Amino acid sequence: GENVEQHPSTLSVQEGDSAVIKCTYSDSASNYFPWYKQELGKGPQLIIDIRSNVGEKKDQRIAVTLNKTAKHFSLHITETQPEDSAVYFCADGHYNAGNMLTFGGGTRLMVKP
Amino acid sequence: DTEVTQTPKHLVMGMTNKKSLKCEQHMGHRAMYWYKQKAKKPPELMFVYSYEKLSINESVPSRFSPECPNSSLLNLHLHALQPEDSALYLCASSSRPGEKLFFGSGTQLSVL
């Protein structure tokens, strides 16, 4: 990718509420959009990813949606729990084309019990 | 085994020291990466090894020297670092370049 903007930079929610993080990308050739969760003192962990041939993907409480026309994709976390508190990074890339990922600036999610 | 293992977890070094960071994966991945991450920032790509050969060097200063002894190991040799090099250094791997990245827990480096 070329540039990925991520919003918001910080997000505070009450336990049980939903959280939504949005990313916008500029490279129209991007076809791979992963999301990473980074807890304090740890490396980023891949939590979900989506390729451009689908518009939505779910894994239990986590879902990602992709709008290729508008060039944005979003992470949705439902029924948030304190252990969801972390920094989340979106990224874009060209899967299986050897190109490296471009990361967004990150969102610090805080889930208050 | 889906782990990328990095050692040491923490490292404090002076500007005249020589040290090495180590990374190991046993997933059969053929691409390995070094990233640098400053506090509250996303990871920044430093180097990419593809099939044990250096394929990308993102204009990293020569005081950082990567080495890939075999398909499972990746080292980062450090010499004459500056205080601004203090950061979390992350190793990652993927089955091939540009595919799903798996990160290690990183080495928190402090340069005094």
Side-chain angles (χ1 to χ4, degrees), chain A residues 17-78:
Chain A
D17 287 350
S18 294
V20 180
I21 304 170
K22 186 172 179 176
C23 287
T24 305
Y25 63 98
S26 59
D27 185 352
S28 56
S30 293
N31 61 5
Y32 176 58
F33 307 92
W35 285 90
Y36 287 85
K37 174 184 181 182
Q38 188 172 22
E39 296 174 286
L40 198 61
K42 297 185 178 181
Q45 178 188 6
L46 179 67
I47 55 172
I48 195 168
D49 57 6
I50 191 169
R51 298 196 205 180
S52 59
N53 56 346
V54 296
E56 184 177 5
K57 184 176 179 181
K58 284 185 181 179
D59 183 2
Q60 299 181 350
R61 298 186 296 108
I62 293 173
V64 57
T65 59
L66 171 65
N67 183 326
K68 284 217 74 176
T69 303
K71 292 187 190 167
H72 65 72
F73 56 111
S74 300
L75 178 71
H76 304 254
I77 305 174
T78 58

Side-chain angles (χ1 to χ4, degrees), chain A residues 1-5 24-34 73 91-95 97-104, chain B residues 58 98:
Chain A
E2 296 166 352
N3 184 47
V4 179
E5 292 190 3
T24 305
Y25 63 98
S26 59
D27 185 352
S28 56
S30 293
N31 61 5
Y32 176 58
F33 307 92
F73 56 111
D92 81 336
H94 306 168
Y95 196 82
N99 297 78
M100 300 303 111
L101 296 177
T102 299
F103 285 90
Chain B
E58 291 286 355

Side-chain angles (χ1 to χ4, degrees), chain A residues 32 36 38 43-44 49 96 99, chain B residues 33 37 42 98-101 103-104:
Chain A
Y32 176 58
Y36 287 85
Q38 188 172 22
D49 57 6
N96 202 22
N99 297 78
Chain B
Y33 311 73
Q37 187 178 28
E99 297 196 1
K100 294 188 184 189
L101 272 183
F103 284 92

